[in-house]
Amino acid sequence: MPNQKSVSGHIVLTSHPSRFGPKPISIQWGAADPMQRGPVIATLTKQGHRNVIGTHSGGYAIYRALAVASGALQSDHRADLTNTSPVEYIGPHPSWADPEKIVSLDPFGATVGEAFASYYTQGYDIRPTIAITKAHINIPELQEAVTAGRLQVDGKIMKAGGDLVVTKAAIEPVWYLPGIAKRFNITEGELRRALFEQTGGMFPELVTRPDLEVFLPPIGGITVYIVGDVAAISDPQKPLALRVHDECNGSDVFGSDICTCRPYLVHGIEVCVQTAQQGGVGVIVYCRKEGRALGEVTKFLVYNARKRQEGGDRADAYFTRTECVAGVEDMRFQELMPDVLHWLGITRIDRMVSMSNMKYNAIVQSGIEIVERIPIPEELIPEDARVEIEAKKAAGYYTTAEVLDSDSLSDVKGRSLAD
């Protein structure tokens, strides 16, 4: 339980145990040995064991609170992790031991049961922040690609009926605050203060516990879909295709035609399947950053503003209307995105299905080579989405195939809000 203090007749709950109690296990971020690195412990039942700020499950922690408040869940429930270990193992890779490469997820998050077994026997409540399983996915467009002859039913990767066999990983964000601050060229103090203030003081430890350097933010995570042999990801002799896709629920799930999100996602999956069937591997990284991380409400407000303005929806006013509502064009900040690629052990991307300069620059600057960039075919762009595409091209945020034909990849500059 938290400590209690009386202030002017009110009970105030402090967020950390007495300084006279035992110190929690320290975290040495970037250590190659998991025991030296230390486990991420966000338990709510033994406050003295906590060595991070925040709790597991990101934004879903609020639903857990409701379950506890309503009596549906015991507050001291401890997860039984029997038979939950990964069906495929990823890493360790050299990048796991480089604190410059990974700052926004726990590379040991999928194997805490094995890596920290001795702590489990001592009663520590350590939970995975990554889960890896296998599944079949079935997207109608892939069956159309089979019918058209672009994809082949091989019985292993693509099965009859359109089922695609994948390995998938769900990843919760785990932020190493000194590394996050360095990635954004700000001080750790500036980062902590902004996080504290912009969450309404939700996490007081951000400003009261400088000794806690790891934060589990209440945001959406990442899902990785791997097509083909997982081991091929880090094999320099095997081709690798990649699509990094930021969530767009309206298009990805419901097929809204105001943007190119679902068509580009499906095209990326198709390229990944083709690469896997050629002896390589395909990787889809799906990031929960709805509406360029502005949120779906803001996105819909912008839609209204764009379509109701004088002259209707226009490419020359596309970004202006977004800024009028949100104050900024984009809050995805791709600076953290390459971390998941380093966790996977990617060092070279042969086919990157994206023309976004923001994504390209972030990946290349993190030390990963990109050989080829693949645009969305013109015939896949919905008519209502051409305003978006033309706006990004005109603003120089979207690199066209023509530019790549005339310039070397290393000369591509600029910031992109595309796809």
Side-chain angles (χ1 to χ4, degrees), residues 10 20 90 94 120 124 160 191 214 239 246 253 273 337 340 363 398:
H10 297 283
F20 299 107
I90 293 173
Y120 275 101
Y124 283 91
L191 174 64
V214 176
D246 293 322
V253 178
V273 175
M337 174 268 292
V340 65
I363 292 171
Y398 184 90

Side-chain angles (χ1 to χ4, degrees), residues 67-217:
V68 171
S70 66
L73 174 67
Q74 293 297 311
S75 62
D76 60 351
H77 171 74
R78 182 168 176 174
D80 180 355
L81 299 176
T82 303
N83 293 329
T84 62
S85 59
V87 298
E88 289 270 6
Y89 282 86
I90 293 173
H93 298 292
S95 53
W96 291 21
D98 185 344
E100 299 290 322
K101 297 293 187 186
I102 299 177
V103 299
S104 62
L105 60 88
D106 177 7
F108 301 105
T111 56
V112 294
E114 298 94 324
F116 305 113
S118 62
Y119 284 124
Y120 275 101
T121 61
Q122 297 176 51
Y124 283 91
D125 181 12
I126 306 168
R127 303 195 182 189
T129 56
I130 300 176
I132 304 172
T133 189
K134 284 188 177 293
H136 290 173
I137 61 175
N138 195 310
I139 299 175
E141 292 93 331
L142 294 183
Q143 186 58 53
E144 294 171 7
V146 171
T147 302
R150 297 192 304 273
L151 296 179
Q152 305 300 317
V153 173
D154 56 19
K156 181 179 180 181
I157 295 173
M158 280 291 297
K159 295 190 173 182
D163 280 349
L164 174 62
V165 179
V166 299
T167 301
K168 60 182 182 179
I171 304 172
E172 290 181 3
V174 178
W175 286 8
Y176 174 57
L177 293 174
I180 298 284
K182 185 174 182 180
R183 196 74 65 86
F184 284 90
N185 297 312
I186 58 177
T187 68
E188 185 183 344
E190 289 171 328
L191 174 64
R192 285 174 175 265
R193 174 60 61 177
L195 290 170
F196 172 72
E197 292 178 348
Q198 295 303 313
T199 57
M202 187 184 299
F203 302 99
E205 297 96 335
L206 286 166
V207 292
T208 64
R209 296 292 303 275
D211 57 311
L212 299 182
E213 296 184 324
V214 176
F215 175 44
L216 275 57

Side-chain angles (χ1 to χ4, degrees), residues 250-311:
S251 179
D252 297 343
V253 178
F254 294 100
S256 171
D257 64 355
I258 198 171
C259 63
T260 59
C261 294
R262 181 182 174 94
Y264 221 147
L265 173 61
V266 172
H267 182 57
I269 295 173
E270 185 173 325
V271 173
C272 285
V273 175
Q274 291 170 343
T275 305
Q277 291 185 328
Q278 292 164 3
V281 63
V283 177
I284 301 290
V285 175
Y286 194 87
C287 306
R288 294 317 192 286
K289 297 177 182 177
E290 177 65 58
R292 299 191 211 129
L294 302 173
E296 200 165 40
V297 169
T298 296
K299 182 167 74 170
F300 287 8
L301 294 175
V302 171
Y303 286 167
N304 288 345
R306 283 169 48 191
K307 290 179 178 293
R308 287 173 175 167
Q309 65 189 336
E310 185 177 351

Side-chain angles (χ1 to χ4, degrees), residues 13 127 156 168 178 181 204 233 291 308 313 330 389 399 401-402:
L13 301 182
R127 303 195 182 189
K156 181 179 180 181
K168 60 182 182 179
I233 293 176
R308 287 173 175 167
D313 198 7
D330 194 318
I389 287 291
T399 298
E402 291 77 12

